[in-house]
Structure formats: C-alpha cells, structure tokens
Amino acid sequence: MAVKHVERRDPVAGESLGACEDPVWCKERRVVEEFVMEQPVPPYLFAFAVGELGFREVGPMTKVYAEAVPGVLDAVSREFAGTKEMIKPITGYGVATVVDSGHPNFKKGDLVWGITGWEEYSLIKTSETVFKIQNMDVPLSYYTGILGMPGITAYFGFYEVCSPKKGEFVYVSAASGAVGQLVGQFAKLLGCYVVGSAGSKEKVNLLKNKFGFDDAFNYKEEPDLNVALKRYFPDGIDIYFENVGGKMLDAVLLNMRLHGRIAVCGMISQYNMKQPEGVHNLFCLIPKRIRMEGFLVRDYYHLYPKFLEMVLPKIIEGKITYVEDMAEGLESAPGALLGLFSGRNVGKQVVVVAHE
C-alpha cells in the first residue's frame, strides 16, 4: 500500500490546486489532502494515519526548526500567493495509528508516538524516532507530553544532567509549561525545595496548588529578577532548570551556590529576537565552579524503558499530575503555536486532529 496525493482542492472556492507528490498543509488556503492506497509500502517506510486517531504536540522549538530550514518560510509565502511550488510540512511529535507498514516491528493498527508532519497522513522513513504505545491506562494525548518528548526531557534533564540530591534548592523557569511542571514534581519527589516562575497569576496558582511547588512567582511583576530570586532563595540556588534565557539566566547566575548545576533545556525568551540578548554574568561560573550543560532529548531515547518504569506508576498512583491545553483541529495549530510565545497556553499545548 502506498500513500499518494491525487489532488489538492480548496473546499471554499471549489478549485483544483493541482496534483502533488509531497504532503502539504496551509491554514490560509485550507487545503484538503486526498489520499489513495495503491502499491505495497517499501520495507523502509511506515504509513501513519493521524486522521483516524491523532494528537499533535506544539512546542516553542517548532518555530525555530521551521525557520532553520532554508526556503521553507519563503515557500510558504509563495504558496499563499497562489504559486504551485511545493513545500514540506512542519514536523513535530504526535500520536497516530499505523495504516500500513513495511517494517517488521510495526503493523497495521498499532498505536505509536513520534515525529510526524502537521498533516493527516505521514510517511515515516525511519523507526528511530517512533515508539510503539504499549500502555493505554492513561490518555493517549499523554504520549505527546508527560510520556513523550517533554516527559523524557524533564526526567533525564533533571536526574541525569542536574545530578540532584535530597534537600537541594531548585529553581525552574517557565515552570507551568510541558517540561517545567514535571521537573518541579520530580524535584519534590526527591525531597528538594522547589520554586518556579511563570507569566500569570493563574499559572502561579497552578504551580503551588496543583503541582506542589514550595513557592512560585510571576516574573512579569518583578522589576528586578535578581532581587526576586534573593527573596525566594536567600541561601542561593543549587539547581536551575533553564527554559527562558536572557535576563532570567543573568539573574540566576548571580544567585547560584557553590558547585551549582544549570541544565539548559531551552531559551524561549530569545527565539523571536532578531538580535538575541547577551549574557553578562558568565564569570560567575568560575569562582562558584558552576556546571552549565545543554542537552537534547534524543540523547536519551535509548533509556525510554527506564523512564516509563519510573513515571507510569507515579501517574497511575496520582503522585505525578499533568495539565494539557487542548486546541481542536489541525487548522488551529498555527494559532496554538504563536500562543506559546505570548504565554497564552496553560500546560502542554496539544492539537487534537482526531478523537479517540
């Protein structure tokens, strides 16, 4: 069976947009993709049907990856202008049903999570970033979040990169997001003192009353972040889980303790800047012997079973909780993505492509 595009048609105008070979989806043109199944899938291909059952995760790095691909955004502009030049879909993590497979480890009907396109059907050419879903005692959307990439990021970023110890002082920025909310809970399970920051009163209340943070503050209400951190950490910070960058990182460096650790997961404050802000207090790394380390989630994919072994029971027992922000329909994905940069979402942003 092969997945092939026969025709692209604008359902509003009723006009044909021509035949194409690659999947493409554009909100402005509301393009409808029609697929036919014809020939066997080659052994190296999977055909995933996201339309039968699907969730899309939307994260800050989605925009960064899209802008990093030469010609992608220019091609989008040309597509909106009515030209026929084809583009590749934006990719991200999602939950899907296998339509057909040429791989021995995947068969029709399997539920999987991994990297797919922002589209109803995706052809996947590698199994390295696709994982079969074995446990369905939790909502399937969790595999775009707590049991997927954000969960793995939080778990290994905290336990492996930060090397935490019971009783240490932990600070998490962007703490109500998909990763931050989990880092704080992992730290509390270990017996650490945890403070998080977020961008609204609602999110601050969520951190303290639902996720169990010891304290939290709205960074938008703090004219001096250095003073704010001294108030919440009078004895300094042992571990900083970095999601923001810029002025926040500068303030944190002044408040780190001797032999502190900084796990650099993301820097969302810098992604939309034409000229990123500089960091002025890096000298603090030297006298305080601070270890600052970046990491990528794919470095830890091979340890996914270890992650599930710890996290799944905690979810089922109610010792770890998770909040998702659901947007309905693939057409809502661009708006959901842009909302991340203004802090509109509360919890993990997920787009529902098709319901269970």
Side-chain angles (χ1 to χ4, degrees):
M1 180 213 70
V3 177
K4 174 185 175 184
H5 293 73
V6 180
E7 185 179 25
R8 299 159 53 243
R9 184 173 296 276
D10 186 328
V12 177
E15 62 179 9
S16 173
L17 300 178
C20 65
E21 297 299 328
D22 290 325
V24 65
W25 174 80
C26 300
K27 179 185 177 186
E28 268 66 340
R29 296 296 295 271
R30 299 181 63 187
V31 174
V32 172
E33 302 288 4
E34 297 180 11
F35 295 83
V36 293
M37 314 303 183
E38 289 188 342
Q39 299 173 0
V41 176
Y44 59 87
L45 288 182
F46 311 105
F48 292 111
V50 182
E52 292 182 5
L53 169 67
F55 300 91
R56 274 283 158 293
E57 72 92 28
V58 179
M61 290 304 293
T62 304
K63 181 175 183 291
V64 177
Y65 292 147
E67 291 180 340
V69 179
V72 165
L73 297 185
D74 287 343
V76 170
S77 299
R78 287 191 290 272
E79 174 68 18
F80 292 164
T83 64
K84 296 298 189 290
E85 181 174 346
M86 300 315 302
I87 60 173
K88 300 288 185 182
I90 294 175
T91 60
Y93 288 86
V95 173
T97 305
V98 177
V99 172
D100 202 353
S101 170
H103 194 286
N105 294 338
F106 296 86
K107 64 181 185 301
K108 182 178 180 179
D110 281 348
L111 292 173
V112 297
W113 74 269
I115 296 178
T116 65
W118 280 22
E119 55 194 352
E120 292 182 343
Y121 292 80
S122 289
L123 285 173
I124 311 300
K125 297 182 180 181
T126 175
S127 62
E128 294 177 358
T129 57
V130 180
F131 302 86
K132 193 181 295 186
I133 295 174
Q134 306 285 4
N135 191 300
M136 286 171 277
D137 293 336
V138 296
L140 286 173
S141 60
Y142 275 21
Y143 287 93
T144 67
I146 187 171
L147 293 177
M149 180 273 290
I152 302 172
T153 301
Y155 182 87
F156 291 107
F158 180 65
Y159 287 109
E160 299 291 330
V161 178
C162 294
S163 303
K165 303 178 189 69
K166 182 179 179 180
E168 289 193 311
F169 300 105
V170 178
Y171 173 49
V172 185
S173 58
S176 66
V179 175
Q181 61 177 280
L182 294 173
V183 173
Q185 292 180 79
F186 291 151
K188 288 303 300 175
L189 286 172
L190 189 63
C192 298
Y193 175 81
V194 187
V195 175
S197 60
S200 71
K201 182 179 179 180
E202 177 188 10
K203 293 179 180 181
V204 167
N205 289 335
L206 196 67
L207 294 176
K208 294 192 288 187
N209 301 325
K210 189 172 183 66
F211 299 138
F213 283 58
D214 292 288
D215 216 331
F217 65 93
N218 183 350
Y219 70 91
K220 294 179 181 177
E221 296 177 351
E222 299 292 346
D224 189 324
L225 292 172
N226 179 33
V227 171
L229 290 173
K230 279 181 168 38
R231 185 166 71 247
Y232 289 97
F233 294 99
D235 296 320
I237 300 167
D238 291 299
I239 291 173
Y240 173 44
F241 201 92
E242 163 72 302
N243 291 308
V244 172
K247 294 181 176 65
M248 182 66 78
L249 176 57
D250 245 349
V252 168
L253 286 167
L254 295 174
N255 289 275
M256 292 296 292
R257 301 181 77 185
L258 197 66
H259 299 296
R261 285 87 71 205
I262 300 175
V264 184
C265 174
M267 294 189 173
I268 193 170
S269 71
Q270 306 301 295
Y271 297 157
N272 285 332
M273 288 189 170
K274 292 182 179 179
Q275 184 62 46
E277 295 172 328
V279 179
H280 306 285
N281 296 322
L282 286 175
F283 178 77
C284 294
L285 297 174
I286 302 169
K288 295 183 180 182
R289 279 84 97 193
I290 299 166
R291 177 167 57 84
M292 184 172 174
E293 181 179 347
F295 67 100
L296 292 175
V297 66
R298 65 170 177 259
D299 297 338
Y300 299 97
Y301 277 157
H302 65 290
L303 296 175
Y304 186 56
K306 175 184 175 182
F307 161 78
L308 287 179
E309 186 178 334
M310 183 275 191
V311 174
L312 260 175
K314 293 289 191 295
I315 297 173
I316 294 170
E317 294 165 12
K319 293 181 178 179
I320 296 178
T321 188
Y322 198 64
V323 171
E324 298 173 312
D325 193 324
M326 294 284 193
E328 288 284 338
L330 197 54
E331 67 277 4
S332 69
L337 173 60
L338 294 177
L340 295 176
F341 297 93
S342 62
R344 190 176 64 204
N345 63 301
V346 178
K348 174 61 185 173
Q349 184 65 69
V350 180
V351 174
V352 183
V353 180
H355 287 275
E356 299 180 36

